[in-house]
Amino acid sequence: MEEKENASGEVGRCTEHGKKLLYFCRVERLRICSKCAITGSHREHKVVAVEEALSDLKKLLSARLVELEAESLEQTSRLEEIERNTKAAQEEAEVLQQQVREDFAALRSFLDSEEKALMEWIATEKQHTLEELGRLKTECLHRAERLRMLVDPLNAGLQTTNLSDVLKVLNISSDGPSRPCETANDPIVRFQAEKFCGPLQYRVWKKMLQIIQTVPEAYTFDPLTAHPHLEISTNRRAVIPRREALPVVYTDGRFNSCLCVLGAEALSMGRHYWEVTINKKTKWDLGVAYSSVPRHGDVIYKPTRGVWCLTLRDGCRYEACDETDIQLEVQHKPGRIGIYVDYEGGVVSFLDAETMQMLHVFRAHFTDQLLPLYSPCTMEEEAPGDQRLTIFKLNV
C-alpha cells in the first residue's frame, strides 16, 4: 500500500514495501515505489518518475489555467458588452421615446389645429345663420303686428250693421300706408350643415400627409438594369417575369444572371418608405443594395456584400438574408411588403404593409448610396394569378 507525501513535502515510503515513493502511476494517479512498479499491483500500468509526472501535471495545470483565464477574459468582455448594451438600450430607448412623443405631438397639434379651425368655421356659420334668422324673425313679428292692427278694424266692421261704419273702415284700410303683405319677404335662410358633411376623417387624413415625413413613395424601376427576362411596364412601376428573353440592349449596368432590377431613385440621405405589391406570388426577393452591386454573375444577398434583402420561397418560407440566413415566423401572409430605410440611422426594415407588422430589421452603417433591389424570380408555370411585382402608389 502506498503512502502519501507528508505535510512537510518529504517523500514518504511505501507501506507495503518500505521503499521511497519515487514513481507515479498515471493509471491510478498515485505515487508508488519501484517494487510496486516492477512486481506489485502497478506492474502493468504506465509509470513515470515523480519529477516527470510533476512536470506533466503542472503543464496540465498551466493549460487549464490558460483555459480558465481565457474564459474569464471572455466573461469580462461579455460583461463589458452587457454594460455597453445596457447603456445603449437606455439611451436608444430614451431617444426613441422622445421621437415618438414629438411625432405624436405633431399629429395631435395638427389635429387640434384642424379641429379648432373647423369648429370656428361652424360657429361662424352658425352665428351668421342665427343673426339672419333673428333679423327675419324681428321683421316677421313687425309685419304680423301691423297686419293685426289692420285686421282688427276689419273684424269690427264685419260685426256692425251700420253701413256708414263699414264704409269708413273700408276707406281707412284702402287709403292707409302700404300693407306689409305687399312687401316681398326675404328668403328664410337655414343652417347649411351639408357644407361640413362628407368624409371628414379622410379629408383631414389627406391634409395630414403634408406633415408626415415617410408616406409610401411612388418609386420606379430602372429598365436599363433589368435582366433580359424581366419586362418593365410603361409606367415603370411593375416588373413581370417572362419565359423568353426580351430584345434589349446588353450593357454593363444590366443584370445578366440574377433576375433582378434596381430602382431608379438613389437613397443617400434621409428616411424613405415604399411598398411593393406581391399579390399571391410564392417567391420573390426585395431589399436594397449599394449602387455598386455587381450586375454580372450571381448576386450574394448579404450585408457584407452591400445587400440587405428579404426573400420568399415555396409560398411560406420567409428569410432575412443576413450573414447567416434568418427564417422568419410570419403568421399573416402579406399581399404587400413595406420597405423602410433610415440612411443616417442605419436601418433597413421590412413590414407587412397591410397590418404594419414588423417582419425584420437590419442595422448597418451605410457608406455608399443605396438603390432598391427587386426580383420577381422566374416565371412560375403552375402559379395562379398575376406574377408581377408592382410598386404601390398612394393616390390622394
Side-chain angles (χ1 to χ4, degrees):
M1 184 176 179
E2 301 79 3
E3 290 182 356
K4 296 181 180 179
E5 187 176 1
N6 59 32
S8 64
E10 296 178 354
V11 177
R13 291 184 176 274
C14 177
T15 57
E16 182 178 355
H17 304 109
K19 291 182 174 292
K20 290 184 177 181
L21 303 174
L22 300 177
Y23 299 93
F24 182 76
C25 175
R26 290 189 185 276
V27 176
E28 297 189 20
R29 301 176 73 86
L30 293 172
R31 296 182 64 161
I32 61 176
C33 69
S34 58
K35 200 163 186 179
C36 290
I38 298 172
T39 61
S41 59
H42 298 274
R43 61 183 178 274
E44 295 182 357
H45 296 170
K46 188 170 183 179
V47 176
V48 296
V50 168
E51 292 79 4
E52 182 181 348
L54 181 60
S55 176
D56 291 344
L57 291 174
K58 284 188 174 181
K59 289 180 180 177
L60 290 176
L61 289 177
S62 297
R64 180 58 178 155
L65 179 61
V66 170
E67 290 178 0
L68 292 176
E69 288 178 342
E71 186 175 343
S72 177
L73 184 62
E74 180 182 349
Q75 292 306 313
T76 300
S77 176
R78 181 178 176 84
L79 182 60
E80 292 174 352
E81 184 177 359
I82 290 173
E83 292 296 333
R84 287 195 300 270
N85 286 0
T86 299
K87 183 179 179 181
Q90 294 172 337
E91 294 176 350
E92 291 179 9
E94 289 174 1
V95 171
L96 182 59
Q97 288 173 330
Q98 180 62 27
Q99 184 64 53
V100 169
R101 281 192 290 267
E102 292 176 359
D103 287 348
F104 276 89
L107 294 177
R108 280 191 292 268
S109 176
F110 171 81
L111 291 174
D112 289 343
S113 176
E114 287 295 307
E115 179 185 12
K116 180 180 178 181
L118 184 56
M119 294 295 281
E120 289 178 352
W121 184 22
I122 293 173
T124 299
E125 290 295 316
K126 170 188 171 184
Q127 184 64 27
H128 289 167
T129 302
L130 292 179
E131 288 176 356
E132 179 63 10
L133 289 173
R135 184 186 71 79
L136 293 176
K137 180 179 179 181
T138 299
E139 189 177 274
C140 185
L141 289 173
H142 180 65
R143 289 179 179 177
E145 178 61 22
R146 294 187 65 185
L147 286 171
R148 186 187 63 76
M149 293 174 62
L150 293 174
V151 167
D152 287 347
L154 294 178
N155 283 329
L158 290 174
Q159 301 299 320
T160 185
T161 58
N162 187 312
L163 179 60
S164 297
D165 291 340
V166 171
L167 287 173
K168 182 179 179 181
V169 170
L170 186 61
N171 290 333
I172 292 173
S173 62
S174 299
D175 298 336
S178 299
R179 297 188 294 274
C181 56
E182 293 177 349
T183 303
N185 291 322
D186 292 333
I188 299 176
V189 299
R190 63 179 183 82
F191 180 68
Q192 298 181 8
E194 62 273 12
K195 292 169 63 174
F196 309 95
C197 294
L200 173 62
Q201 293 179 336
Y202 180 67
R203 187 170 68 232
V204 173
W205 173 75
K206 289 180 68 175
K207 291 183 66 176
M208 189 185 296
L209 292 177
Q210 300 171 7
I211 68 165
I212 297 177
Q213 296 182 5
T214 47
V215 296
E217 300 178 63
Y219 287 154
T220 57
F221 297 111
D222 181 358
L224 298 180
T225 66
H227 186 278
H229 282 260
L230 298 180
E231 179 183 351
I232 306 301
S233 64
T234 304
N235 63 9
R236 295 171 55 184
R237 286 203 301 272
V239 55
I240 309 111
R242 296 302 185 194
R243 294 185 180 87
E244 303 295 333
L246 301 173
V248 296
V249 177
Y250 286 81
T251 64
D252 291 339
R254 189 182 298 279
F255 289 98
N256 69 355
S257 180
C258 290
L259 268 73
C260 294
V261 59
L262 295 174
E265 294 79 13
L267 315 176
S268 57
M269 61 183 297
R271 299 172 182 173
H272 307 269
Y273 176 73
W274 67 102
E275 297 178 354
V276 182
T277 301
I278 53 180
N279 296 311
K280 296 182 179 179
K281 284 186 62 62
T282 61
K283 55 182 179 180
W284 44 256
D285 307 336
L286 296 174
V288 294
Y290 282 144
S291 57
S292 58
V293 63
R295 314 298 170 83
H296 298 170
D298 293 336
V299 177
I300 300 176
Y301 293 165
K302 290 185 183 299
T304 52
R305 299 300 186 96
V307 180
W308 294 263
C309 195
L310 194 73
T311 66
L312 172 67
R313 295 294 183 270
D314 304 322
C316 62
R317 184 160 51 88
Y318 296 84
E319 287 186 349
C321 302
D322 211 324
E323 300 311 308
T324 299
D325 291 344
I326 302 172
Q327 191 157 344
L328 308 179
E329 296 290 336
V330 179
Q331 303 298 328
H332 169 265
K333 184 175 182 179
R336 195 160 71 235
I337 297 293
I339 306 171
Y340 173 77
V341 172
D342 180 353
Y343 193 92
E344 287 80 8
V347 172
V348 179
S349 303
F350 295 88
L351 304 92
D352 179 340
E354 297 167 333
T355 64
M356 297 308 291
Q357 176 188 1
M358 189 67 69
L359 300 177
H360 187 72
V361 179
F362 288 101
R363 299 303 299 263
H365 175 69
F366 303 122
T367 58
D368 194 1
Q369 68 176 5
L370 299 169
L371 290 171
L373 175 73
Y374 313 87
S375 174
C377 298
T378 56
M379 174 70 74
E380 302 172 60
E381 298 293 341
E382 300 179 358
D386 196 348
Q387 296 194 37
R388 72 184 63 202
L389 297 179
T390 305
I391 299 175
F392 174 71
K393 181 181 179 182
L394 181 64
N395 294 315
V396 294

